[in-house]
Amino acid sequence: MRRLAPVLRQDGVDTDLISLIKTILAACKEISFRVGQGELAGVLGSTLDENIQGETQKKLDVLANELLKDMILETGVVKAISSEEEDYTVAGNPEGRYLVTFDPLDGSSNTDINSLIGTIFSILPARADVDAADAAQFLQPGTAQIAAGYVLYGPSTMLALTTGKGTKLYTLDKTYGGFLLTQEEVAVPGVTAEFAINMSNQRHWQPGMQAYVADLLEGKPGPRGKNFNMRWIAAMVGDVHRVLCRGGIFMYPSDTKDPNKPNKLRLMYEANPMSFLVEQAGGLSSTGYQRIMEIEPTDIHQRVAVILGSKHEVETCLKYHQS
Ligand code: AHG
Ligand code: MN
Ligand code: MN
């Protein structure tokens, strides 16, 4: 096992980026500690506020957001941040070379049941031609990401990180206080028999997704000729972690449940960073019609359909969308 900083330096990553990632991880360690204290730290339950997307904010959403925002902006290397829990982007140092987007707490509905939650982040290059206070800074496709990762607050606290040279997993050593490298090269198996989707939305999906999942459920006697298992953690960070560890396909497709909200997951804070991690581990990520990381964003809070995971299974799912 090796420590985080030497691993990054060996990758030839610049020192400002290393210190930025270390700062994000310092905030996540603090969040991990508070999450671990649970009710004892008075961090469970909801606030009286809603975020810009009309979702009630949990106390942990707000706490995690404040910690990340303040610590990231203090580094001085960040031009602006964009958070799922902030209505607008927040300007930092006009000379900063980086932008950071984050979902401070993914899986908020799991906080009060002591289940999996996490923090997801993405680092983009700052644009010299755009003012720090202008949200247009962030309208870059996922292919522009310099680094992305998540910290999963589970039985152990784990970090998945990519700087575009593969995906690595680290485990927080709470005695030493640092993230130690525990898997050098994550490789998502290309073939799987496990899928993750919120089945309660089935009747609202589009025909391609309906047909694909119907065939999965047919099992061995059906057109796929094998039985599939299903898992749903209700925190993308937990579901994607399982996909990185043992393969699988994770889907949050478009649906017609709420005509004003055809998609659930956010491009900047969830879909792009997770796509980067999964692709760097040999998996695929698509909306069903387009590679997620090639979407040209039009709004910092925009939402997209997500289908990601084991290469061959995602390819099979995409064929149902084309026909
Ligand atoms: P968040 O807690 O940041 O709002 O994200 C929750 C997301 C995602 O993590 C998860 O996969 C999905 O919402 C769960 O949706 P359902 O409640 O429809 O299962
Ligand atoms: Mn989320
Ligand atoms: Mn969130």
Side-chain angles (χ1 to χ4, degrees), residues 55-107:
E55 299 158 342
T56 303
Q57 288 180 306
K58 297 280 184 180
K59 287 182 193 165
L60 269 173
D61 288 322
V62 176
L63 179 101
N65 184 57
E66 293 299 321
L67 271 168
L68 284 158
K69 179 174 67 173
D70 293 349
M71 290 175 72
I72 290 169
L73 290 175
E74 223 165 74
T75 61
V77 299
V78 169
K79 190 163 178 179
I81 58 124
S82 185
S83 163
E84 179 186 291
E85 301 299 341
E86 295 282 332
D87 296 0
Y88 306 103
T89 62
V90 183
N93 178 3
E95 306 303 322
R97 288 158 52 215
Y98 300 108
L99 306 173
V100 184
T101 74
F102 51 90
D103 176 355
L105 202 84
D106 179 62

Side-chain angles (χ1 to χ4, degrees), residues 45-250:
S46 298
T47 66
L48 299 174
D49 297 325
E50 282 188 349
N51 63 16
I52 195 166
Q53 306 166 60
E55 299 158 342
T56 303
Q57 288 180 306
K58 297 280 184 180
K59 287 182 193 165
L60 269 173
D61 288 322
V62 176
L63 179 101
N65 184 57
E66 293 299 321
L67 271 168
L68 284 158
K69 179 174 67 173
D70 293 349
M71 290 175 72
I72 290 169
L73 290 175
E74 223 165 74
T75 61
V77 299
V78 169
K79 190 163 178 179
I81 58 124
S82 185
S83 163
E84 179 186 291
E85 301 299 341
E86 295 282 332
D87 296 0
Y88 306 103
T89 62
V90 183
N93 178 3
E95 306 303 322
R97 288 158 52 215
Y98 300 108
L99 306 173
V100 184
T101 74
F102 51 90
D103 176 355
L105 202 84
D106 179 62
S108 302
S109 70
N110 284 348
T111 52
D112 299 341
I113 58 165
N114 197 23
S115 194
L116 288 184
I117 48 180
T119 296
I120 309 169
F121 60 91
S122 163
I123 301 175
L124 290 160
R127 294 174 49 179
D129 57 326
V130 182
D131 193 82
D134 188 341
Q137 273 286 351
F138 289 88
L139 304 184
Q140 308 181 37
T143 49
Q145 291 173 102
I146 296 167
Y150 63 73
V151 175
L152 175 68
Y153 310 115
S156 56
T157 292
M158 290 192 73
L159 160 70
L161 181 67
T162 183
T163 54
K165 294 171 183 142
T167 294
K168 295 176 167 60
L169 289 179
Y170 303 79
T171 305
L172 179 61
D173 181 339
K174 290 182 180 169
T175 52
Y176 145 72
F179 284 93
L180 300 181
L181 182 66
T182 43
Q183 196 174 339
E184 177 90 45
E185 200 176 324
V186 179
V188 177
V191 175
T192 185
E194 196 162 65
F195 70 100
I197 196 164
N198 184 340
M199 284 296 295
S200 71
N201 296 323
Q202 184 178 27
R203 68 189 183 283
H204 304 292
W205 300 332
Q206 292 164 348
M209 190 52 78
Q210 295 271 6
Y212 169 68
V213 174
D215 284 357
L216 297 182
L217 297 178
E218 293 273 334
K220 202 162 172 47
R224 297 300 306 277
K226 66 176 181 179
N227 294 324
F228 282 80
N229 195 9
M230 200 201 85
R231 289 284 184 271
W232 186 250
I233 290 173
M236 186 188 196
V237 72
D239 283 309
V240 170
H241 187 69
R242 186 187 57 256
V243 167
L244 288 182
C245 290
R246 69 178 188 209
I249 182 167
F250 166 87

Side-chain angles (χ1 to χ4, degrees), residues 250-308:
F250 166 87
M251 297 162 281
Y252 212 117
S254 304
D255 63 52
T256 55
K257 198 162 68 173
D258 175 354
N260 296 317
K261 204 173 102 180
N263 299 304
K264 169 118 191 204
L265 298 177
R266 282 130 301 206
L267 178 63
M268 297 280 181
Y269 319 119
E270 294 165 324
N272 268 340
M274 292 311 206
S275 298
F276 196 15
L277 288 163
V278 166
E279 286 196 9
Q280 284 294 316
L284 289 183
S285 180
S286 170
T287 62
Y289 305 97
Q290 184 183 14
R291 183 180 170 214
I292 284 179
M293 290 211 293
E294 287 177 1
I295 295 172
E296 292 287 343
T298 52
D299 185 283
I300 54 165
H301 294 304
Q302 86 188 64
R303 297 171 187 258
V304 288
V306 175
I307 300 166
L308 62 75

